């Protein structure tokens, strides 16, 4: 008799449901073990009569000394636990800067100005046009007023004006939202990578809002697009040692003094991608703020690859051959970012992934070491750990690479793509525009977990995990209020200009 071919396993069994069953079993294994044991113990106790129960109680021979000693031990352990555990850090609310319509830079305007600026040769103009066509940016991104001049006017005064416009607008909004007075702010942290004036930007905020003299202020510079999460980490550490306090974190990048007017291609990319933006975030460790806060900080993991020379120089501010200062982006940038991401998720994975995913990763790792090193490494399913992803909108290639490596759906990276399209790369504040997009879509529910991933010069990859404390109502104001109904939009691979 002719042998019948066995049915293909992948088509005869719905592997999706097999994996779901495995995940449910492993993630609830303690429940499956303990519930039957507790049920059996309860049945045994129920079978005992009153006399047997009384006899069992007397056999324990508990006297007053035993009871008091046990109570003291329980109280002592509870005291140690509650005094040693870290203080919770709540995100009370945040606000974003929305650029005025007069700062809008459509592609046609950008290219017309580039042609009229005598510093650029034709090859530089054509290169910038090529980048814009593939950038994923839309027609509504904005540049500060000083860059609209022909040629641009990147003076110190113009840079200060941009900083005041962005920072004060965001801080005004977050103070109004939370009802916090400037004199009630305990910690102030301002991060801006490339503009570091004297007095500092944090001093500028203190002067504007007349904050009290003992406010703990910090100004972070030179730390790239991931500085926003570094500021959150610094605020968290300060809130651990200062009880009953709050922290105001301001994240921005001042574009005015950093416009590149030369012709080196690796330095022209920032002109095409970076746009004006800023965020102000209020954090608190006060228990009374828990009821009105939006999120609770669960984890924050920082990875620094600066010990490697290539990683250190892949985003580097320097002068070109003609003495023009700009940011040089290395061709190895994406590969270095990938290595930094792998190191970061190796650390954060055990903190957030369910047991089922960790076991699969462990079994695959052992199999590659013991049986076959050519086995494909198992990439954990981070969708099991998070409902929302905020990937730094540094550029289209960054989002594409993370979507591919983490096996995310189009909806998971929608906030990042739409933020890049509407606002461009706003550096350290881009994560907050993405979070606001999710809220504006009405998708943020109580209990949802958010993963923020940021990359920065140095080279750094930082992650923050937030848990939503209450269902967030769709905002009636903010940068997305007048355009959220139009999103998501289709973003073609190439926009012919």
């Amino acid at each position: 008799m002719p042998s019948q071919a066995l049915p293909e396993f992948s088509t005869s069994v719905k592997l999706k449901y097999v994996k779901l069953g495995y995940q449910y079993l492993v993630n609830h294994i303690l429940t499956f073990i303990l519930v039957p044991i507790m049920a059996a113990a309860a049945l045994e106790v129920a079978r005992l009569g009153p006399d047997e129960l009384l006899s069992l109680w007397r056999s324990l021979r508990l006297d007053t000394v035993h009871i008091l000693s046990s109570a003291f031990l329980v109280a002592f352990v509870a005291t140690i636990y509650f005094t040693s555990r870290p203080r919770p850090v709540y995100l009370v609310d945040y606000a974003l800067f929305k650029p005025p319509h007069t700062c809008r830079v459509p592609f046609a305007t950008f290219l017309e100005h580039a042609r009229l600026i005598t510093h650029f040769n034709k090859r530089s103009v054509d290169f910038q046009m090529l980048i814009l066509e593939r950038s994923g940016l839309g027609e509504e991104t904005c540049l500060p007023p000083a860059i609209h001049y022909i040629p641009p006017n990147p003076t110190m005064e113009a840079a200060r004006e941009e900083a005041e416009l962005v920072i004060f607008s965001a801080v005004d909004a977050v103070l109004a939202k939370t009802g916090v007075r400037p004199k009630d702010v305990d910690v102030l942290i301002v991060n801006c990578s490339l503009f570091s004036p004297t007095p500092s930007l944090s001093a500028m905020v203190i002067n504007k809002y007349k904050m009290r003299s003992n406010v703990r202020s910090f100004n972070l510079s030179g730390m790239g697009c991931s500085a926003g999460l570094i500021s959150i980490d610094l605020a968290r550490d300060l809130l651990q040692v200062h009880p009953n306090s709050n922290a105001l974190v301001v994240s921005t990048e001042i574009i005015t003094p950093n416009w590149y007017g030369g012709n080196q291609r690796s330095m022209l990319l920032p002109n095409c991608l970076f746009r004006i933006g800023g965020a102000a975030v209020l954090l608190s460790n006060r228990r009374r703020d828990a009821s009105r806060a939006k999120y609770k900080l669960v984890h924050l993991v920082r990875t620094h690859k600066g010990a490697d020379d290539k990683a250190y120089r892949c985003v580097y501010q320097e002068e070109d051959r003609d003495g023009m200062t700009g940011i040089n982006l290395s061709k190895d940038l994406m590969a270095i970012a990938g290595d930094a991401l792998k190191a970061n998720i190796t650390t954060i994975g055990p903190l957030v992934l369910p047991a089922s995913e960790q076991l699969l990763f462990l079994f695959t790792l052992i199999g590659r070491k013991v049986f076959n090193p050519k086995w494909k490494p198992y990439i954990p399913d981070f969708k099991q750990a998070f409902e929302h992803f905020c990937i730094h909108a540094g550029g289209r290639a960054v989002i594409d690479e993370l979507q591919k490596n983490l096996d995310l759906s189009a909806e998971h990276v929608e906030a990042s793509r739409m933020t890049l399209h509407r606002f461009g790369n706003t550096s350290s504040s881009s994560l907050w525009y993405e979070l606001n997009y999710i809220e504006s879509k009405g998708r943020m529910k109580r209990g949802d977990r958010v993963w923020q991933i940021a990359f920065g010069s140095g080279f750094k990859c930082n992650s923050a995990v937030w848990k939503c404390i209450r269902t967030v109502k769709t905002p009636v104001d903010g940068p997305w209020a007048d355009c959220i109904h139009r999103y998501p939009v289709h973003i073609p691979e190439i926009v012919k200009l």
Side-chain angles (χ1 to χ4, degrees):
M1 294 178 64
S3 60
Q4 291 184 346
L6 291 173
E8 190 178 343
F9 181 72
S10 61
T11 58
S12 60
V13 177
K14 294 186 177 180
L15 291 177
K16 172 184 175 183
Y17 298 105
V18 172
K19 186 175 181 181
L20 286 175
Y22 158 76
Q23 290 168 347
Y24 191 83
L25 174 64
V26 173
N27 294 339
H28 298 84
I29 190 68
L30 287 178
T31 303
F32 290 136
I33 293 174
L34 292 177
V35 167
I37 294 175
M38 293 173 65
L43 285 173
E44 285 297 321
V45 172
R47 288 176 182 173
L48 298 176
D51 293 337
E52 294 173 307
L53 288 172
L54 185 60
S55 176
L56 180 63
W57 172 257
R58 287 173 178 169
S59 68
L60 295 175
R61 295 180 180 178
L62 293 175
D63 56 22
T64 305
V65 175
H66 288 128
I67 295 173
L68 289 176
S69 299
S70 300
F72 174 79
L73 179 62
V74 171
F76 177 75
V77 171
T79 302
I80 295 296
Y81 171 75
F82 284 109
T83 55
S84 62
R85 67 174 183 168
R87 292 188 176 92
V89 175
Y90 302 105
L91 192 161
V92 181
D93 214 331
Y94 65 97
L96 301 166
F97 170 71
K98 182 179 180 180
H101 189 72
T102 52
C103 291
R104 192 169 67 92
V105 185
F107 292 156
T109 302
F110 184 96
L111 293 174
E112 181 185 5
H113 283 213
R115 292 188 183 102
L116 293 173
I117 295 173
T118 56
H119 298 295
F120 293 139
N121 58 36
K122 186 178 185 305
R123 290 184 62 191
S124 295
V125 174
D126 292 342
F127 177 73
Q128 291 181 84
M129 181 176 72
L130 190 69
I131 295 298
L132 282 177
E133 288 178 338
R134 294 162 172 78
S135 65
L137 271 67
E139 298 277 5
E140 297 182 89
T141 62
C142 294
L143 285 170
I147 307 300
H148 288 256
Y149 288 97
I150 303 175
N153 183 38
T155 63
M156 175 64 76
E157 182 183 5
R160 285 188 184 276
E161 289 175 356
E162 180 193 345
E164 292 173 356
L165 172 66
V166 175
I167 293 175
F168 294 166
S169 297
V171 172
D172 284 344
V174 78
L175 293 179
K177 277 185 173 183
T178 58
V180 172
R181 298 177 304 171
K183 290 187 179 296
D184 294 333
V185 174
D186 301 301
V187 177
L188 172 66
I189 303 171
V190 180
N191 70 263
C192 179
S193 188
L194 295 173
F195 181 56
S196 183
T198 300
S200 66
L201 295 176
S202 59
M204 182 185 77
V205 174
I206 292 171
N207 176 259
K208 163 70 175 178
Y209 294 96
K210 309 305 178 189
M211 293 181 175
R212 64 178 195 261
S213 59
N214 64 343
V215 62
R216 298 174 181 87
S217 66
F218 301 85
N219 198 93
L220 306 182
S221 64
M223 305 197 78
C225 300
S226 66
L229 294 187
I230 295 174
S231 296
I232 296 294
D233 188 34
L234 175 58
R236 178 189 64 172
D237 291 346
L238 290 166
L239 291 175
Q240 292 304 311
V241 296
H242 297 289
N244 198 34
S245 301
N246 59 34
L248 178 62
V249 175
V250 180
S251 297
T252 187
E253 190 60 76
I254 304 306
I255 307 297
T256 295
N258 301 298
W259 176 264
Y260 175 65
N263 292 289
Q264 187 168 321
R265 286 193 171 190
S266 58
M267 293 184 172
L268 286 169
L269 282 168
N271 286 1
C272 303
L273 298 176
F274 281 88
R275 297 294 185 263
I276 186 173
V281 183
L282 184 70
L283 304 174
S284 174
N285 62 13
R286 296 168 179 163
R287 295 285 180 180
R288 65 175 181 268
D289 285 329
S291 59
R292 66 175 185 140
K294 285 185 173 181
Y295 304 95
K296 180 181 178 181
L297 182 60
V298 183
H299 300 292
L300 203 150
V301 173
R302 294 170 55 181
T303 302
H304 206 305
K305 307 292 285 185
D308 179 76
D309 290 341
K310 280 189 175 181
Y312 173 70
R313 292 190 64 93
C314 71
V315 181
Y316 203 80
Q317 186 178 25
E318 60 183 354
E319 294 174 335
D320 65 10
R321 294 182 298 272
D322 301 319
M324 304 288 288
T325 302
I327 305 296
N328 195 334
L329 301 182
S330 167
K331 61 183 180 182
D332 300 322
L333 177 59
M334 290 310 302
I336 291 167
D339 289 340
L341 175 66
K342 288 176 185 177
N344 191 268
I345 65 177
T346 300
T347 304
I348 202 170
L351 300 175
V352 298
L353 286 169
S356 58
E357 289 300 305
Q358 295 194 47
L359 280 176
L360 284 175
F361 179 78
L362 178 63
F363 292 155
T364 306
L365 183 64
I366 294 173
R368 295 183 71 207
K369 294 287 186 182
V370 177
F371 299 108
N372 188 353
K374 294 183 179 180
W375 279 8
K376 186 179 179 181
Y378 180 72
I379 305 300
D381 184 4
F382 280 91
K383 298 187 291 294
Q384 296 284 327
F386 305 106
E387 285 73 35
H388 307 288
F389 296 80
C390 294
I391 300 167
H392 168 52
R396 191 175 202 154
V398 175
I399 302 171
D400 288 346
E401 194 68 19
L402 263 72
Q403 181 180 7
K404 177 184 175 182
N405 289 339
L406 299 177
D407 192 25
L408 302 179
S409 67
E411 184 174 345
H412 285 129
V413 297
E414 181 183 310
S416 301
R417 291 196 190 281
M418 298 307 114
T419 295
L420 182 64
H421 181 270
R422 174 61 184 85
F423 296 102
N425 180 354
T426 60
S427 189
S428 58
S429 64
S430 68
L431 298 174
W432 303 108
Y433 285 91
E434 295 165 21
L435 185 63
N436 193 246
Y437 177 90
I438 298 169
E439 292 181 0
S440 299
K441 280 292 183 182
R443 297 173 183 170
M444 191 63 69
K445 309 299 180 185
R446 180 180 180 182
D448 283 1
R449 297 154 298 178
V450 185
W451 187 14
Q452 292 181 322
I453 313 169
F455 299 93
S457 57
F459 188 85
K460 300 179 285 292
C461 176
N462 300 325
S463 291
V465 178
W466 302 89
K467 185 174 183 180
C468 184
I469 297 176
R470 57 181 172 86
T471 299
V472 179
K473 296 180 180 178
T474 303
V476 295
D477 55 2
W480 292 100
D482 62 347
C483 63
I484 193 64
H485 61 281
R486 295 191 274 114
Y487 285 90
V489 297
H490 172 66
I491 304 175
E493 290 294 324
I494 299 176
V495 179
K496 293 302 293 181
L497 301 177

